[in-house]
């Protein structure tokens, strides 16, 4: 069969492995968690935040408090009333689904190249000890626009590019609204985080495809990690669960709310808030029945900007926790390779 042309495990997409019912050794969790029934975690309560209320001056105090409380405990919330209809979100879901449903040869036109993270591929191998994630991905830079590498942007389905452009333009505005609201929720000047974040901030999109896995008891869709972004906006699969967050040392399942966007703090916002907002550890479990597709968009400060804890969040009772850092995403991958939590590199 054609598969024999692909010699090593890693050059096969997870989609192909799933079709063959294969689970290579490299995907099996061997740590203390190995053998755990990942999916049996309890549901987690994730607060809902109404974005419309955050921006209305009269009604906002209560909603700002909800936002502050969510981000300083679990580090995530479900955004509703964010200005995009469920029909539009479904369009984004559908474009992603159609892309992953294309024949292998068609998707391979967008293959990631060695030494780069952009394009279509499976888990990036950063270290020889790495246990692989049961997922195929398409990773794209969407903003600033002049940094888009269109050769990796699918032309099939026909409206993929237009839909991604429209979706991320809307998210760009949403991120601004959120950064302002976050600053206000902490009684800081409204532009406090936006100024650090920069106008030429980076936005990347990761389309995650998780095929059914024959051994969900031993294999994860994504290993536990915290995001290297400032803010992550996740469009969940409408029907299939898989995401879990760690809170109070317990894994909890993130519920699906079809019209909501799941927003979580990334390491860079934890740094800017001097640890008040928490960048949560999360992971994705697999299941043997149904595929799952999600779209994660990462809002990242301009890489050459120095970011640091806001002045107003450092005082005698709350000493400064983090150093000034620049180009955090590079540092992130370096630490990840060493099997450490990247944000530790920024600790004073
Ligand atoms: O697919 C998901 O539910 C989460 C993906 C994720 O954590 C990521 O892409 O960083
Ligand atoms: Fe993540």
């Amino acid at each position: 069969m054609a598969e024999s042309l692909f010699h090593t495990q890693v050059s096969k997409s997870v989609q192909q492995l799933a079709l063959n019912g294969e689970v290579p050794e490299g995907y099996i969790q061997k740590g203390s968690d190995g053998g755990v029934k990942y999916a049996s975690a309890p549901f987690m309560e994730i607060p809902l935040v109404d974005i419309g209320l955050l921006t209305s001056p009269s009604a906002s105090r209560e909603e700002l408090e909800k936002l502050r409380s969510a981000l300083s405990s679990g580090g995530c919330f479900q955004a509703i009333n964010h200005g995009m209809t469920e029909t539009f979100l479904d369009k984004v879901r559908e474009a992603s689904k159609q892309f992953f449903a294309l024949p292998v040869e068609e998707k391979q036109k967008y293959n990631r190249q060695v030494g780069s993270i952009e394009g279509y591929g499976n888990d990036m191998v950063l270290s020889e000890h790495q246990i692989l994630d049961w997922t195929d991905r398409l990773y794209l830079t969407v903003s600033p626009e002049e940094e888009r590498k269109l050769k990796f942007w699918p032309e099939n389905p026909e409206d993929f590019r237009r839909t991604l452009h429209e979706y991320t333009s809307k998210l760009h505005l949403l991120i601004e609204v959120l950064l302002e609201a976050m600053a206000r929720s902490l009684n800081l000047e409204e532009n406090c985080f936006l100024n650090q974040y920069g106008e030429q901030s980076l936005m990347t999109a990761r389309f995650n495809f998780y095929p059914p896995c024959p051994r969900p008891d031993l294999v994860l869709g994504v290993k536990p990690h915290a995001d290297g972004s400032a803010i992550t906006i996740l469009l969940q699969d409408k029907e299939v669960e898989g995401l879990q967050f760690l809170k109070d040392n317990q894994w909890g399942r993130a519920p699906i709310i079809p019209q909501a966007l799941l927003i979580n703090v990334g390491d860079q916002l934890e740094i800017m808030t001097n640890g008040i907002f928490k960048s949560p550890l999360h992971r994705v479990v697999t299941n043997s029945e149904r595929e799952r597709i999600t779209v994660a968009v990462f809002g990242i400060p301009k890489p050459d900007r120095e970011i640091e804890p806001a002045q107003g969040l450092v005082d005698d009772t709350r000493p400064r926790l983090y150093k000034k850092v620049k180009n955090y995403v590079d540092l992130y991958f370096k630490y990840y390779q060493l099997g450490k939590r990247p944000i530790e590199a920024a600790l004073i």
Side-chain angles (χ1 to χ4, degrees):
M1 272 184 72
E3 276 86 53
S4 61
L5 294 171
F6 304 100
H7 299 293
T8 63
Q9 302 172 356
V10 174
S11 67
K12 258 191 206 173
S13 68
V14 172
Q15 189 173 22
Q16 288 168 303
L17 296 176
L19 284 174
N20 297 344
E22 271 180 73
V23 183
E25 190 58 31
Y27 289 85
I28 309 274
Q29 296 289 323
K30 301 170 194 77
S32 51
D33 244 3
V36 161
K37 287 257 182 305
Y38 293 118
S40 63
F43 263 121
M44 177 190 175
E45 246 187 70
I46 300 185
L48 294 188
V49 174
D50 182 321
I51 305 300
L53 289 181
L54 284 181
T55 50
S56 101
S58 54
S60 66
R61 201 62 241 174
E62 200 180 318
E63 212 60 19
L64 285 175
E65 179 47 29
K66 241 191 199 172
L67 178 73
R68 191 202 57 75
S69 147
L71 298 182
S72 39
S73 53
C76 61
F77 67 93
Q78 304 262 22
I80 50 167
N81 195 15
H82 43 60
M84 283 176 260
T85 61
E86 193 175 334
T87 313
F88 178 68
L89 297 181
D90 285 346
K91 200 166 139 183
V92 179
R93 292 184 172 109
E94 192 52 35
S96 325
K97 188 172 170 165
Q98 286 177 12
F99 171 73
F100 287 113
L102 293 175
V104 178
E105 311 79 59
E106 180 74 15
K107 286 184 295 227
Q108 283 173 342
K109 287 188 195 160
Y110 308 101
N111 264 358
R112 189 173 70 211
Q113 283 143 22
V114 178
S116 150
I117 64 170
E118 263 190 79
Y120 169 73
N122 48 11
D123 198 7
M124 264 214 309
V125 180
L126 297 171
S127 120
E128 55 180 316
H129 307 295
Q130 178 176 336
I131 297 173
L132 298 168
D133 291 344
W134 189 260
T135 180
D136 295 330
R137 302 175 172 133
L138 174 69
Y139 191 90
L140 302 171
T141 297
V142 290
S143 155
E145 275 187 45
E146 59 277 14
E147 284 179 31
R148 291 181 179 178
K149 297 196 182 76
L150 285 181
K151 64 174 178 187
F152 296 121
W153 286 50
E155 285 180 292
N156 191 355
E158 183 270 323
D159 65 349
F160 187 98
R161 292 181 173 189
R162 202 173 341 108
T163 304
L164 179 59
H165 175 78
E166 197 181 337
Y167 180 55
T168 51
S169 307
K170 290 182 168 148
L171 291 187
H172 207 106
L173 297 174
L174 179 61
I175 290 175
E176 271 184 34
V177 166
L178 287 174
L179 286 171
E180 281 176 9
M182 287 170 184
R184 281 165 53 220
S185 81
L186 293 165
N187 297 316
L188 298 169
E189 196 267 312
E190 181 169 85
N191 286 326
C192 174
F193 300 133
L194 260 183
N195 288 344
Q196 287 204 49
Y197 190 74
E199 287 203 334
Q200 284 290 304
S201 62
L202 198 64
M203 193 155 66
T204 61
R206 187 158 106 168
F207 297 80
N208 300 303
F209 177 66
Y210 308 98
C213 177
R215 293 304 305 267
D217 54 335
L218 297 177
V219 175
L220 285 173
V222 183
K223 291 176 277 301
H225 68 285
D227 294 340
S229 57
I231 298 188
T232 302
I233 302 179
L234 184 75
L235 179 64
Q236 287 215 78
D237 193 290
K238 223 173 151 157
E239 290 167 1
V240 185
E241 271 178 38
L243 178 62
Q244 302 184 344
F245 284 94
L246 190 66
K247 194 180 176 192
D248 306 327
N249 274 322
Q250 254 217 315
W251 289 105
R253 283 147 68 199
I256 296 172
I257 302 179
Q259 78 280 18
L261 294 166
L262 210 173
I263 300 195
N264 69 267
V265 172
D267 288 354
Q268 299 199 57
L269 190 62
E270 175 162 337
I271 294 171
M272 293 194 271
T273 59
N274 199 27
I276 294 178
F277 288 173
K278 305 286 187 298
S279 169
L281 277 177
H282 51 287
R283 69 183 187 187
V284 176
V285 301
T286 52
N287 78 79
S288 58
E289 308 285 316
R290 301 183 67 186
E291 64 182 43
R292 176 171 184 266
I293 299 178
T294 64
V295 184
V297 171
F298 304 101
I300 304 167
K302 194 167 185 263
D304 62 4
R305 285 246 168 166
E306 289 189 313
I307 59 150
E308 61 181 327
Q311 279 304 328
L313 300 176
V314 178
D315 59 31
D316 291 346
T317 61
R318 175 170 277 281
R320 184 179 167 127
L321 288 179
Y322 296 109
K323 305 187 263 227
K324 242 184 205 169
V325 294
K326 206 163 114 169
N327 216 335
Y328 183 79
V329 174
D330 281 2
L331 186 132
Y332 184 91
F333 284 117
K334 212 162 88 198
Y335 258 62
Y336 180 88
Q337 261 171 338
L338 300 170
K340 294 194 195 166
R341 182 137 188 217
I343 202 167
E344 284 172 16
L347 277 172
I348 279 178

